[in-house]
Amino acid sequence: MLLETTLSLLFPLHCQACDRLFEDDGSPGGRLLCPDCRSFLEAPSPHDCVACGARVEGGRACLACRLEPPPWTSLRAGLLYGGPLLEALHACKFQPRAEAIPGLVRLLGGSLRLASPEVDAVVGLPGHPAHYRQRGFDLAASLALEAALCLDRPLLSRALVRRGPPTRQVGASIARRRENVRGAFEAGGDLRSRAGARLLLVDDVLTTGATARAATRALLAAGAAEVHVAVLCRAEREL
């Protein structure tokens, strides 16, 4: 990728978790984490909740999803959110360090190449404009572009619009998170000619799923036939 080549000339290659110098070996996450830190990356269990990914036994739906099924058709997470990956994401989103972005994008691409649903187009879950002005980039948009390239599907960059003031979700209860994103999304112009489309909604982290639920409902209300969700990583939740 041209972006990766350019960044390799501008920035020394440091591990985004331990700051150690290392060489890119071409593997997913190879420009993001050193081999030692990559060894701690953990994929979700195939026996987790089939609807939201929460930790349960037997691959069945968890109690929360049986009581209130999520609006999406399927959900796929590449990795669990924690350890070196948490450090790398924080480096990208909150410092911010632009050199971390290609590695995160490559990690999601590696996950999507293993298995992905049949979809007609890809949609990135938009961040709040205030966060974009602060950071200078939208990580979910970069991940969505990679997903579109991996799946050879069009990217609908204006399918969702985020409204309302920015809210802090970290540390909030499930009920508060859902209230924070109530009415936060509306469909944009890219969906007007795509009624009945099967969409892949892409984001970086799924915690309780409140934001993904709100965005999925907005897409379905605008005429999408079904929405699949793909995230770089999800937080572990015991249910």
Side-chain angles (χ1 to χ4, degrees), residues 95-121:
Q95 294 184 12
R97 294 168 67 174
E99 66 270 27
I101 298 174
L104 292 170
V105 167
R106 190 190 285 180
L107 276 176
L108 180 67
S111 171
L112 287 173
R113 289 185 185 97
L114 293 177
S116 59
E118 184 62 35
V119 296
D120 301 307

Side-chain angles (χ1 to χ4, degrees), residues 67-86:
L67 293 173
E68 185 183 359
W72 52 74
T73 300
S74 71
L75 183 143
R76 177 175 179 79
L79 297 163
L80 292 180
Y81 182 53
L85 184 57
L86 183 150

Side-chain angles (χ1 to χ4, degrees), residues 131 162 166-182 207-212:
H131 294 157
R162 190 153 191 161
T167 56
R168 181 174 175 81
Q169 296 285 68
V170 177
S173 66
I174 294 178
R176 171 52 59 185
R177 285 170 178 260
R178 291 188 179 184
E179 184 62 30
N180 286 345
V181 295
R182 189 183 303 277
T207 306
T208 65
T211 303

Side-chain angles (χ1 to χ4, degrees), residues 108 112 119-127 138-149 151 153-162 185-188 190-191 194 197-204 212 215-216 218-220 222 224 226-231:
L108 180 67
L112 287 173
V119 296
D120 301 307
V122 177
V123 177
L125 201 156
D138 185 334
L139 178 57
S142 298
L143 295 171
L145 175 59
E146 176 67 9
L149 293 173
L151 302 177
R153 294 293 184 270
L155 173 65
L156 307 184
S157 58
R158 293 183 296 277
L160 276 177
V161 178
R162 190 153 191 161
F185 299 98
E186 63 182 45
D190 278 354
L191 287 183
R194 291 190 176 267
R198 300 164 298 174
L199 302 178
L200 181 68
L201 178 66
V202 177
D203 198 13
D204 53 353
T216 297
L219 293 171
L220 292 172
E226 58 188 36
V227 177
H228 301 265
V229 178
V231 293

